[in-house]
Amino acid sequence: MSAVFTNGRFFVPQKNHASTETPHFANTMLVEKGTIMHVGDGQDVEIQAASTEGAAIHDLGGRIVLPGIVDGHMHLMLHGQSLAKVDLGNCRSLEDIRRELSAYCQANPNAPRVLARGWQQYTTGGAALASMIDDIDPRPIFIDSLDAHSTWCNTAALEELGVASMPDPAGGKIHRDSSGLPSGLLSEGATVHIAWPFLAESLSTVDKIATLRNAVKSYSAQGYTGVVEMAMDDNSWEALQLLRDLEHVPLHIAANWLITPDLDLQACLAQVDKAIDMRKKYSVEGSPDCHITGIKIICDGVVDSCTAALLKPYSNSHSVSPDQLMWATDVLDKVMERASNAGLQIALHAIGDAAIRQAVDGLEKIGSENKRHRIEHLELASAEDAQRLGKLGITASIQPVHSDPAGLRAWPTLLGEQRCGRAFPYTELLAGGATLALGSDSPTASHVPFNNWYSASTRRSATELDYIPPSILNSAVLPLATAIQAATSGAAYSTFSERKFGKLEKGLKADFVVMDMAWNADQLLESHVMQTWFDGKKVFDASV
């Protein structure tokens, strides 16, 4: 049956949209069998004919309607797990952290472990010792840093992991005290290779499915109809397929298989071959709503833990070392060549300017035009490299929610004024011709879309409204229309899906979201998702 959605403000970008803040809106949309058949005016012939023939009429009350949002960079299983963790995001000191953990422990005496998230390194002066939290509870305590690149453990957690006898994994570090015993912090590869797998495997199959189900529901409730998963592995993929066997999953899922560094080139290539095989089995043609699109490679860490790879030393006591680049360039080049030749997209995590240079150079060598290889984060791209992305056809995958100035308190000390002033050069990437794909990187940041768009279009804090950032954090803002397009059509383009969804356009899937919002960047945080529609069917209704 046909459906006419009327009395709405349907966002229909114009082709010359890039720098304008005067978006075009239609007032009516016709949907039939899950496909958009017309977007225009209520008096158009197509609308009148459908209404005469008995189409269902949906009056949207003048609300804004956007294409279904596509999270261009997220972690589905980790997001689901985070929903059940203690949120430390509002803690500003060790005392705050201890208070939140103690309250959780008292309220949940039967939980086998205490899992927390959102710790920001500056709140503890960069320290993360087991002794700082050992007396809170005898159970293992695992605390994810806000950026998810570090795990702070108490002694019980360290013993449960058995890290005392382990060597540092490739690209990671088990921090130790002067006697050589683990002191409490696992960073980068130690989190990815040790903490994440252990905690994932500690879940039963039923729990994993429930975790993913909750993740999907939370995404539908925020207007998402698609996600780009950025650290897929066997554990998460198996649970995801079991969920899809049990029920309809109202998300388009494009997954990138995580490739981890290894000193042995053949071991690295074997990981790529696994991803190639998985893509053949779960191709976009055979499994259009849940497929393997490419590989994810982490080239460096993050600024707050001083593991982002920089061309010049950090401004504090940290200095640049060769170990900051997680991959030897010759090995990385061969891995990328194998993947690209097999038709896999390549997604490279690169935050520091040295890692971004390595990523751009590597993609230039293998050729990126028409392949839509991508670089994730790009927080400290040099002016030169920001211009290179567009010329080389590299997608700029950005997460403006990470530019929230309240989360950058340590940056002036770590980076100095000049580099802070160049952080998050989104307008330079856009001016250089790069396609922007916007994501949240959940659970490292909120997946609420309005927070992301607010940070992108105002550069003010969505988490601490009264926070006044230092003037050196003054990167240019994106127009709201540009940010929203990066979160819809741009993210869809990044996975070759722009002819299926991402716009309110005839012939595309009827994936859309009804918003209670004003088209005003300053008022974004007052907005709410009212309805989410996937393939022409309502999958979320705020009134229910």
Side-chain angles (χ1 to χ4, degrees):
M1 184 178 179
S2 299
V4 172
F5 296 84
T6 187
N7 190 23
R9 298 179 65 204
F10 297 83
F11 179 49
V12 185
Q14 303 301 289
K15 291 183 179 179
N16 61 346
H17 74 278
S19 60
T20 184
E21 264 296 88
T22 55
H24 175 70
F25 294 96
N27 61 43
T28 309
M29 183 170 71
L30 172 63
V31 172
E32 184 174 335
K33 296 180 180 179
T35 300
I36 298 172
M37 302 306 294
H38 184 76
V39 182
D41 186 81
Q43 299 303 311
D44 292 347
V45 172
E46 296 87 344
I47 302 298
Q48 291 295 307
S51 299
T52 300
E53 294 169 4
I57 307 297
H58 298 268
D59 187 328
L60 300 182
R63 292 190 172 101
I64 286 176
V65 182
L66 303 178
I69 305 165
V70 180
D71 194 332
H73 181 125
M74 58 84 68
H75 308 280
L76 195 61
M77 180 67 84
L78 293 175
H79 172 79
Q81 291 174 314
S82 75
L83 299 176
K85 294 182 179 181
V86 185
D87 186 2
L88 305 179
N90 292 323
C91 295
R92 298 290 171 262
S93 66
L94 176 60
E95 290 73 21
D96 290 346
I97 292 170
R98 288 175 55 85
R99 183 169 54 250
E100 290 294 327
L101 292 174
S102 296
Y104 174 86
C105 292
Q106 292 174 15
N108 297 272
N110 297 320
R113 298 174 186 84
V114 178
L115 306 179
R117 63 183 174 89
W119 159 58
Q120 299 179 71
Q121 288 93 333
Y122 80 87
T123 62
T124 58
L129 301 175
S131 59
M132 295 160 66
I133 53 175
D134 270 342
D135 64 321
I136 294 174
D137 196 271
R139 288 170 289 181
I141 300 176
F142 295 85
I143 303 174
D144 298 334
S145 61
L146 181 63
D147 51 50
H149 280 247
S150 300
T151 306
W152 177 10
C153 305
N154 69 349
T155 297
L158 294 171
E159 291 175 349
E160 185 174 45
L161 292 172
V163 293
S165 60
M166 293 183 185
D168 286 348
K173 183 176 182 179
I174 301 168
H175 293 254
R176 301 176 188 273
D177 60 23
S178 58
S179 64
L181 294 175
S183 58
L185 183 63
L186 308 178
S187 59
E188 302 300 341
T191 287
V192 174
H193 295 296
I194 301 172
W196 287 2
F198 175 84
L199 292 174
E201 290 166 8
S202 69
L203 293 174
S204 69
T205 298
V206 172
D207 287 340
K208 292 174 188 176
I209 292 172
T211 295
L212 289 172
R213 179 183 292 117
N214 290 337
V216 172
K217 287 182 178 179
S218 75
Y219 261 81
S220 294
Q222 292 299 335
Y224 290 91
T225 57
V227 297
V228 183
E229 218 292 346
M230 273 295 168
M232 186 54 72
D233 59 14
D234 285 304
N235 178 68
S236 296
W237 189 257
E238 179 182 356
L240 181 57
Q241 300 317 305
L242 290 173
L243 175 64
R244 295 180 71 242
D245 289 341
L246 289 172
E247 60 197 59
H248 176 62
V249 175
L251 278 179
H252 305 292
I253 302 172
N256 291 272
W257 206 261
L258 182 62
I259 308 297
T260 57
D262 196 293
L263 297 176
D264 181 355
L265 172 61
Q266 295 307 313
C268 296
L269 295 178
Q271 295 180 68
V272 178
D273 290 340
K274 170 66 179 293
I276 294 170
D277 291 340
M278 290 295 292
R279 185 175 183 270
K280 290 177 181 177
K281 185 175 181 181
Y282 297 97
S283 67
V284 67
E285 295 81 14
S287 182
D289 285 335
C290 187
H291 60 275
I292 304 297
T293 187
I295 60 171
K296 164 74 175 298
I297 297 173
I298 301 175
C299 295
D300 69 341
V302 293
V303 171
D304 288 272
S305 60
C306 297
T307 53
L310 304 181
L311 294 171
K312 295 182 180 179
Y314 283 85
S315 297
N316 60 2
S317 61
H318 294 265
S319 61
V320 171
S321 72
D323 292 336
Q324 284 186 301
L325 285 172
M326 294 189 181
W327 289 77
T329 297
D330 60 337
V331 174
L332 180 62
D333 289 347
K334 290 181 173 64
V335 165
M336 292 197 295
E337 182 180 24
R338 174 75 64 91
S340 186
N341 288 344
L344 289 172
Q345 283 185 280
I346 298 168
L348 298 164
H349 165 118
I351 286 179
D353 49 8
I356 294 168
R357 177 71 49 82
Q358 182 190 44
V360 177
D361 286 350
L363 292 178
E364 184 175 34
K365 293 172 190 174
I366 63 172
S368 292
E369 190 173 359
N370 299 322
K371 297 179 180 180
R372 303 189 191 178
H373 298 320
R374 47 194 290 159
I375 300 179
E376 313 299 309
H377 310 307
L378 293 156
E379 294 179 5
L380 293 172
S382 67
E384 174 189 351
D385 287 333
Q387 292 293 314
R388 293 173 68 195
L389 268 75
K391 296 175 183 177
L392 295 173
I394 301 169
T395 298
S397 176
I398 62 172
Q399 300 75 40
V401 70
H402 285 170
S403 70
D404 187 317
L408 306 178
R409 284 180 166 89
W411 283 40
T413 300
L414 297 176
L415 297 175
E417 291 191 9
Q418 182 176 0
R419 282 183 292 197
C420 280
R422 280 209 46 78
F424 309 99
Y426 300 153
T427 55
E428 292 180 25
L429 295 164
L430 189 65
T435 295
L436 302 184
L438 190 147
S440 73
D441 200 12
S442 182
T444 73
S446 170
H447 71 305
V448 176
F450 309 110
N451 294 25
N452 220 344
W453 304 342
Y454 183 79
S455 294
S457 56
T458 70
R459 284 295 163 88
R460 298 197 295 271
S461 175
T463 56
E464 296 183 43
L465 300 184
D466 296 330
Y467 179 69
I468 300 175
S471 59
I472 57 174
L473 296 171
N474 60 354
S475 302
V477 300
L478 292 174
L480 178 56
T482 302
I484 289 177
Q485 285 185 260
T488 52
S489 58
Y493 173 91
S494 75
T495 60
F496 290 94
S497 300
E498 73 275 12
R499 294 185 180 180
K500 299 175 183 177
F501 53 84
K503 296 180 181 178
L504 301 179
E505 187 176 283
K506 181 179 179 180
L508 299 190
K509 285 185 172 293
D511 297 345
F512 59 96
V513 54
V514 182
M515 301 284 204
D516 180 8
M517 67 175 282
W519 196 272
N520 183 325
D522 292 332
Q523 297 176 264
L524 281 171
L525 299 182
E526 303 168 22
S527 306
H528 301 281
V529 173
M530 303 307 297
Q531 298 175 3
T532 305
W533 292 71
F534 178 85
D535 202 20
K537 298 179 179 64
K538 189 191 299 183
V539 296
F540 172 76
D541 189 335
S543 67
V544 176

